[in-house]
Amino acid sequence: MRGTTVGETTERAELLAAAVVEAVEGTSAYAGSVFLRSRDRRSLVLAATCGVPPSLLGGWGLIPVSSPIPVAAAYSSGRTVHLANAEETMRRYPQLAVALPYAFGSCSVPVGAGGETFGSLAIVWAASPGREGLSKAQRRHMRTLANRLGASLAALQARSGDPVECAPETVPVENPAPSAPAVRVGLFGWDLASGTFSVDDEFCTIFGLDPRTFDGQAETLHASLHPGDLAAFRFVAREAASRGRITSRRLRVRDRGYGGDGYRTVELWARVLEADDAEPGTRLAGAVVDARAGSTALAAAERLRDGLFSLAPDGRVTYANHSALQLLDVSGDALLGRILWDVLPWLSDPDVESRHRSAMISQAPASFLACHAPDRWLAFSLHPEADGVTGRVVPLGQPPSASTPPASSAESTTAATPTRLGVMHHVLQLGSALTEAVTTREVCEVVSDQLLPAFGGQQLAIYVVRNKAMHLLFHTGHHEDFLDWLEGAPLHARLPGTEALTSGAPLFIESQQDLSQDYPDIPTGEVSSWAYLPLIASSHPVGICVLGFDMIHHFTERDRGVLTALAGLIGQALERAQLYDSEFAIARGLQQALLPHRLPAIPGIRTVARYLPGTSGMDIGGDWYDVIPTVKGVSLIIGDVQGHSIAAAATMAQLRSAVRAFTAVGHAPGEVMAGVNRTLVDLDPGLLASCCCIHLEPHAHHAQAVTAGHPPPLLRRPDGTTEVLDLDVGPLLGVDRASAYPATRIALPPGSVLALYTDGLVEEPGADIDVGIDRLRASLAHARSDSLDELAGRLLHNARRSSYRADDIALLLTETAYGSGPQGPDGTSERPGADRPHHSASGSGDDPRSVTFGESDA
């Protein structure tokens, strides 16, 4: 499989951008987004947006597929999720409504093709109470767009060979919201020798000409110019010939909007084109710029005494008039292009950001009060459109009374509700993500993904306590030596990390000077601010989480409160994950101990086994396999005990022993299965089991097969034809003590390959098991057979590609001897023209007794 090329990456970005823009423009929405599945299929990653920047959505760029969020629900269910207004959002998805408490409606549709879902397409619109949302036609339009996008992504996937997925660090494709242009630009070409023009439609519109009748003559343009500018217009040609370009030549053009008596000013820009087929300096290419709307609006805004400013959708200041700069007490250079609340410390309140987010998401005006100085209050109002926010700020004549508290103030604690919502958003986000994290590595990655963007940090390290000392568990950031001095430090050491942990109180250090003053022996390095968060769970210290900031970071009271609350969640999640890791290691070790690590060498056949544990939980399963030599041949066994638990593993061990015991005394396959069934009924573990037993004699060219409710074996003949064996199926083990298990005789030509497997290899959510069995049959038919090891690897390839498997997988492949040719030292026949199999004590290579546990071939 080849990697995705730059061209294919660009093509996918263009497909996503086109789909989300068309979704927004074709409905009543003002913003949209496309989410694609992650590589492990456990998350949805923001891949493209239109109208709303990713920064405005906070931590919603990475959403677990199991989250109660509309885009995740659409992806998981394959259905459209339509929320007409805020009331319906609160009723059906309360977690989303609490985290984003704004009035909006949304529609999310799955994106996929051919039964495979790649992600979700979503749009958002301003929703007033009682609004019905999208019409049926608009919803059909959304589904059509999503299906078209899915088909295009599937075609790209087929060409590239790579699945449609996104890495968590993927930078989403951003498309601005559509807006009316403030500047009009017309393009032209001017042949100075003939005096003719070639122009576009916008050029004609600016000059008040009909593009269908314009004859391209300079004299025709003269009628649209102010008489006083005709000489200047003619001078342009001489200026271009001498200087090679025209820079901002202003001309007055007749304005038809004033009854033909008015004029507006435009600017002419051009340069000389050098061409082989023309005399030098005889051709111009340029543009005419009509900035009337923008300049008129700018002049009007500058005349106002009120402060006016404009914010991009992400909160960056794009314009502020002179009055606004005076009221905010800031220069234009310091403000423009920056986030408003980042530049002005007295506006660095979560409520200010929340009001801006509310205005953008709900598309409804918002207002708040703020105190710049002890007694200087300002009133702000925000007026949103899809492409940004226009803000107005005016001085308040008198301080607000106690009965009318400010909506936002760095000194005020009365605006508790929005602040609590901001805190709740962070808690809900991290808490939701941590519920999906199982291992310590996953917990650490979730903490990194959530905390660093939320608080603007660049470094994060998590240390855990082992043997009363600190040991690094996780680190991310470009300073590799960040906190090296903490590694191995005893808990009683006088260090920021150990003191915060032993005291249980977070420690916030805002500058290198503060660090040097309190801890003079600690190197400051390249980090300027630190937050040490003790991780406490079950009343004992688990570890310390440290955030580092490259620039000086001032921790507000709300920052400290939120980080302290989040530290409690992290501590509990980390303790749970450490317990999981320990129990998982023990459980997997026990399970592997119950399965054969080495298959016996049987003259005339090759056998290879593979086992992959499920990844959905720490409980171990009851899958097993065995190869049992007999007096006349060999018995191939595969089975699966119901459930995932210690009881399932114990039952599996007992059944495996029973199969071996009944086989050792010479019972036929049907008698073996009946005896194992009676054993399970007598044990009465409350579990059922399936099993398949095939007894073969290497040179007899046939076998006896018995199955107890187990998926049917596959047989590939030497010519490559592969079939699902049609066996007489007996009941599951443990149902009825008197059950009988008939044997089926199967033809087994020399060189055939038998595949026995458990249902974890063929089951897929939402699909019939027969579909999975047929897919496995096709894989076996088309896979190369030079090596059983390679063949087993290919059959497990699809299962290995996903990091999430709900069930264990066991696979046992058996290859019969090739005729009566010469045999190797272990008794296996050698294929003519093929290299002899390599044997090693570890079971590597094409060892006929090869067994592999876990994710990689031995």
Side-chain angles (χ1 to χ4, degrees):
M1 181 182 297
R2 63 186 178 88
T4 304
T5 66
V6 174
E8 289 160 349
T9 301
T10 302
E11 182 179 353
R12 188 175 83 171
E14 292 174 350
L15 290 172
L16 298 177
V20 71
V21 169
E22 188 173 353
V24 170
E25 293 181 347
T27 62
S28 57
Y30 66 83
S33 56
V34 178
F35 288 81
L36 295 181
R37 62 192 182 184
S38 61
R39 291 173 179 169
D40 60 8
R41 305 297 190 266
R42 299 178 68 182
S43 301
L44 294 176
V45 182
L46 183 62
T49 67
C50 176
V52 58
S55 59
L56 191 68
L57 299 177
W60 299 104
L62 184 66
I63 299 176
V65 297
S66 59
S67 296
I69 303 297
V71 291
Y75 171 81
S76 301
S77 67
R79 297 180 178 179
T80 299
V81 179
H82 178 252
L83 304 173
N85 48 43
E87 289 76 9
E88 187 174 4
T89 303
M90 175 62 78
R91 184 175 68 254
R92 295 176 56 188
Y93 295 91
Q95 186 181 33
L96 174 65
V98 171
L100 295 175
Y102 315 118
F104 64 91
S106 65
C107 182
S108 302
V109 293
V111 174
E116 185 177 11
T117 305
F118 303 134
S120 297
L121 170 65
I123 57 171
V124 179
W125 61 85
S128 56
R131 179 169 175 175
E132 295 182 359
L134 299 187
S135 65
K136 290 183 178 180
Q138 289 173 320
R139 278 179 269 177
R140 282 196 301 270
H141 177 65
M142 284 288 294
R143 288 191 291 269
T144 300
L145 285 176
N147 291 337
R148 189 190 308 159
L149 175 61
S152 299
L153 293 174
L156 183 60
Q157 175 178 256
R159 292 199 307 272
S160 68
D162 289 333
V164 179
E165 58 190 20
C166 263
E169 64 272 13
T170 298
V171 178
V173 180
E174 295 187 54
N175 300 275
S179 60
V183 176
R184 305 178 70 174
V185 179
L187 304 178
F188 68 88
W190 187 358
D191 189 329
L192 300 179
S194 63
T196 58
F197 283 80
S198 57
V199 300
D200 66 359
D201 290 353
E202 196 69 17
F203 183 96
C204 291
T205 301
I206 293 174
F207 276 81
L209 302 172
D210 186 344
R212 296 170 297 181
T213 60
F214 177 54
D215 58 8
Q217 298 300 314
E219 291 76 9
T220 306
L221 294 179
H222 293 171
S224 298
L225 293 174
H226 189 283
D229 289 343
L230 289 176
F233 183 68
R234 296 188 183 100
F235 177 72
V236 164
R238 293 194 298 274
E239 180 186 12
S242 62
R243 298 178 56 190
R245 61 186 304 178
I246 306 168
T247 305
S248 188
R249 171 66 66 178
R250 294 190 176 186
L251 300 172
R252 286 168 290 180
V253 176
R254 189 178 302 278
D255 194 332
R256 307 298 178 183
Y258 291 95
D261 297 329
Y263 292 88
R264 67 181 186 277
T265 300
V266 300
E267 291 188 9
L268 195 69
W269 299 69
R271 68 181 180 86
V272 172
L273 292 179
E274 300 296 341
D276 296 336
D277 58 347
E279 295 182 12
T282 62
R283 288 186 178 180
L284 292 178
V288 58
V289 180
D290 180 5
R292 177 186 55 170
S295 60
T296 302
L298 180 62
E302 290 295 337
R303 298 187 193 106
L304 291 175
R305 297 290 182 90
D306 293 350
L308 288 182
F309 58 91
S310 178
L311 304 180
D314 61 0
R316 287 178 296 105
V317 181
T318 56
Y319 168 75
N321 69 355
H322 182 69
S323 297
L325 296 176
Q326 284 188 319
L327 290 170
L328 299 177
D329 193 19
V330 65
S331 68
D333 291 340
L335 187 62
L336 294 180
R338 305 276 302 281
I339 302 293
L340 182 64
W341 42 89
D342 287 348
V343 177
L344 305 174
W346 50 278
L347 282 180
S348 61
D349 188 297
D351 186 43
V352 174
E353 185 176 356
S354 177
R355 298 291 173 136
H356 170 258
R357 184 180 291 111
S358 172
M360 281 300 302
I361 294 178
S362 65
Q363 288 291 286
S367 61
F368 58 92
L369 304 181
C371 184
H372 178 24
D375 57 354
R376 186 183 178 190
W377 289 87
L378 300 175
F380 289 80
S381 58
L382 306 177
H383 303 271
E385 282 293 340
D387 58 343
V389 171
T390 295
R392 177 174 174 264
V393 55
V394 296
L396 201 62
Q398 57 183 5
S401 64
S403 61
T404 57
S408 176
S409 168
E411 303 298 327
S412 173
T413 59
T414 57
T417 299
T419 300
R420 283 200 301 268
L421 291 175
V423 173
M424 192 175 299
H425 166 71
H426 291 298
V427 173
L428 284 174
Q429 274 294 102
L430 183 60
S432 175
L434 286 176
T435 60
E436 300 294 321
V438 177
T439 66
T440 54
R441 180 72 185 183
E442 290 174 349
V443 168
C444 292
E445 289 177 347
V446 164
V447 172
S448 173
D449 292 341
Q450 296 291 332
L451 286 194
L452 290 181
F455 295 92
Q458 290 76 41
Q459 313 293 322
L460 185 139
I462 296 179
Y463 283 80
V464 293
V465 178
R466 288 200 300 266
N467 299 323
K468 298 183 179 181
M470 307 297 293
H471 296 280
L472 180 65
L473 177 66
F474 178 85
H475 168 257
T476 184
H478 51 274
H479 299 319
E480 296 183 359
D481 57 349
F482 178 58
L483 300 180
D484 277 355
W485 45 266
L486 191 55
E487 177 65 31
L491 289 181
H492 58 76
R494 189 181 180 278
L495 298 170
T498 54
E499 290 191 341
L501 183 57
T502 53
S503 68
L507 177 62
F508 300 95
I509 302 176
E510 296 189 342
S511 69
Q512 294 185 350
Q513 292 75 13
D514 292 343
L515 178 67
S516 299
Q517 180 178 346
D518 296 335
Y519 302 93
D521 298 330
I522 296 177
T524 57
E526 299 179 67
V527 179
S528 298
S529 299
W530 299 261
Y532 291 86
L533 309 176
L535 307 179
I536 310 295
S538 304
S539 300
H540 75 273
V542 176
I544 191 84
C545 176
V546 187
L547 270 70
F549 301 81
D550 289 350
M551 305 296 291
I552 292 179
H553 183 86
H554 298 289
F555 298 97
T556 66
E557 289 300 320
R558 291 179 177 82
D559 283 346
R560 297 171 186 239
V562 173
L563 287 171
T564 301
L566 296 180
L569 293 177
I570 298 169
Q572 295 173 14
L574 191 58
E575 182 188 47
R576 183 188 69 241
Q578 288 177 318
L579 178 62
Y580 171 89
D581 286 347
S582 299
E583 293 189 3
F584 184 86
I586 295 172
R588 291 307 177 207
L590 172 61
Q591 189 170 34
Q592 292 187 12
L594 295 175
L595 295 173
H597 285 244
R598 185 83 167 168
L599 300 180
I602 308 295
I605 68 169
R606 299 186 182 98
T607 54
V608 167
R610 293 288 184 271
Y611 178 81
L612 294 182
T615 60
S616 62
M618 71 177 69
D619 291 332
I620 60 177
D623 293 20
W624 93 92
Y625 56 84
D626 214 341
V627 177
I628 307 173
T630 66
V631 175
K632 296 183 178 180
V634 62
S635 289
L636 310 173
I637 311 295
I638 198 157
D640 185 1
V641 177
Q642 172 191 23
H644 290 78
S645 63
I646 296 295
T651 302
M652 175 266 283
Q654 292 171 311
L655 293 186
R656 180 179 174 230
S657 298
V659 170
R660 281 187 156 267
F662 285 114
T663 302
V665 297
H667 285 311
E671 296 171 339
V672 170
M673 202 68 70
V676 174
N677 176 61
R678 292 191 298 270
T679 301
L680 182 57
V681 172
D682 293 341
L683 290 172
D684 192 21
L687 299 173
L688 303 178
S690 68
C691 186
C692 182
C693 172
I694 298 181
H695 185 268
L696 60 88
E697 299 175 15
H699 302 291
H701 304 168
H702 67 269
Q704 296 289 326
V706 174
T707 180
H710 199 79
L714 305 179
L715 174 65
R716 186 171 82 174
R717 294 182 172 82
D719 60 1
T721 59
T722 305
E723 66 174 319
V724 180
L725 293 179
D726 185 14
L727 306 182
D728 292 329
V729 181
L732 289 169
L733 302 176
V735 176
D736 182 359
R737 198 174 192 278
S739 295
Y741 297 89
T744 303
R745 181 184 176 91
I746 57 175
L748 205 62
S752 299
V753 175
L754 274 170
L756 282 71
Y757 54 91
T758 55
D759 54 11
L761 184 59
V762 292
E763 280 188 332
E764 293 184 7
D768 190 90
I769 192 173
D770 290 338
V771 176
I773 293 175
D774 189 64
R775 185 180 294 115
L776 180 64
R777 181 201 60 78
S779 297
L780 180 60
H782 295 96
R784 293 181 57 186
S785 59
D786 294 342
S787 162
L788 276 191
D789 277 304
E790 293 180 4
L791 183 58
R794 289 182 178 275
L795 295 182
L796 294 181
H797 176 69
N798 290 336
R800 286 195 180 120
R801 286 186 64 182
S802 172
S803 63
Y804 177 84
R805 289 186 301 277
D807 202 357
D808 297 356
I809 294 174
L811 174 67
L812 177 62
L813 296 182
T814 302
E815 185 178 28
T816 60
Y818 281 82
S820 58
Q823 294 185 345
D826 64 339
T828 58
S829 296
E830 296 179 14
R831 180 186 311 184
D835 293 336
R836 291 174 54 182
H838 171 73
H839 298 267
S840 68
S842 64
S844 62
D846 196 22
D847 193 324
R849 301 154 292 176
S850 173
V851 178
T852 298
F853 297 94
E855 293 294 334
S856 59
D857 290 341

